[in-house]
Amino acid sequence: TLALAKLIGERDDLTVLPNDFVIAGFLIEHSQCRIIHTGGTVCRENRSCVGEAAAQALRGLFIDLAFISASSWGMRGLSPPNEDKVMVKKAIVEASRRRILLSDTSKYGKVATYLALPMAAFDAIITDEGLPAVAREAIEQAGIALLTAEKEEYARTGIRMKVRYRCQVRALHWLQRRRVHAIRGAFVQPIPRGRLASLFGAVPSCS
């Protein structure tokens, strides 16, 4: 999700709702977007807000598109290790019109204590190319759009992310129809169709 935040640093037409302090700090320093923070109990382990106060703040909002991260996920769903994180993830789903899981494949197949969200809660998944073929097939059968991202290291520019619409042609159509905006929270204003490329197109740089 931090890589995604870096892609929108120059945007001034977004309202972003992060509950992650690292992402919020980056956006404060390097972006022009409007930022709303959930507040709540601080989880030092991953520097985010959890608990009922954060969940209640989310329920009071209309979220157009939510990008949701996960430390462990599989075809049954997302399973955080802490119960306080469950209510926050459920609240995001309740408050948002569309949901995208954003997580790399090193988290796939891991199982923690609590089942927070079923995979059916998501409209799309963005992950890397390491997803097993059996998982790809299961995602396709579930009717969830799948997009893969290729990470490349550059000495000067850092990590660059290129989202390639190669798993399903319908994944590209899904994004175009819905005029995707961006990050682990709320993007209230829509992005015009012609600006999709600036977010998910040919090799945007994350410095």
Side-chain angles (χ1 to χ4, degrees):
T1 48
L2 179 58
L4 183 57
K6 291 179 179 180
L7 297 182
I8 62 170
E10 297 181 358
R11 299 291 300 273
D12 61 2
D13 59 341
L14 299 176
T15 297
V16 184
L17 177 64
N19 75 331
D20 183 295
F21 288 107
V22 174
I23 293 173
F26 175 84
L27 293 173
I28 289 170
E29 294 292 331
H30 303 286
S31 80
Q32 301 299 316
C33 61
R34 182 187 180 205
I35 304 169
I36 301 174
H37 199 277
T38 61
T41 302
V42 175
C43 175
R44 288 186 172 88
E45 181 182 358
N46 63 2
R47 300 184 180 183
S48 65
C49 285
V50 298
E52 181 57 32
Q56 188 62 38
L58 290 165
R59 295 189 194 105
L61 297 167
F62 290 102
I63 299 174
D64 184 31
L65 177 62
F67 283 85
I68 302 173
S69 64
S71 58
S72 51
W73 63 285
M75 288 312 300
R76 189 183 175 196
L78 275 60
S79 57
N82 191 313
E83 189 174 9
D84 287 341
K85 296 180 180 180
V86 174
M87 60 184 72
V88 173
K89 293 189 183 297
K90 288 184 180 294
I92 293 174
V93 168
E94 292 171 8
S96 59
R97 291 197 301 133
R98 293 162 288 175
R99 281 84 58 179
I100 295 179
L101 172 62
L102 183 58
S103 183
D104 64 73
T105 55
S106 69
K107 315 296 194 310
Y108 179 79
K110 293 185 177 180
V111 179
T113 308
Y114 299 94
L115 178 62
L117 299 173
M119 291 308 295
F122 295 96
D123 299 288
I125 298 171
I126 298 178
T127 188
D128 59 74
E129 295 178 319
L131 198 64
V134 64
R136 293 175 182 265
E137 293 174 4
I139 290 168
E140 180 180 358
Q141 291 176 3
I144 303 171
L146 177 62
L147 299 93
T148 58
E150 179 181 335
K151 295 181 180 179
E152 299 173 337
E153 294 290 343
Y154 289 85
R156 292 188 177 182
T157 59
I159 296 177
R160 303 175 75 185
M161 179 178 286
K162 178 173 59 178
V163 177
R164 302 187 303 173
Y165 312 102
R166 56 190 292 267
C167 295
Q168 304 285 342
V169 172
R170 61 185 174 80
L172 174 58
H173 293 165
W174 185 90
L175 288 170
Q176 290 175 330
R177 287 198 305 270
R178 289 160 177 78
R179 301 192 314 181
V180 173
H181 355 145
I183 213 174
R184 192 191 197 179
F187 294 155
V188 178
Q189 296 90 347
I191 295 175
R193 294 179 187 274
R195 298 187 64 182
L196 276 174
S198 67
L199 181 60
F200 290 110
V203 201
S205 178
C206 302
S207 57

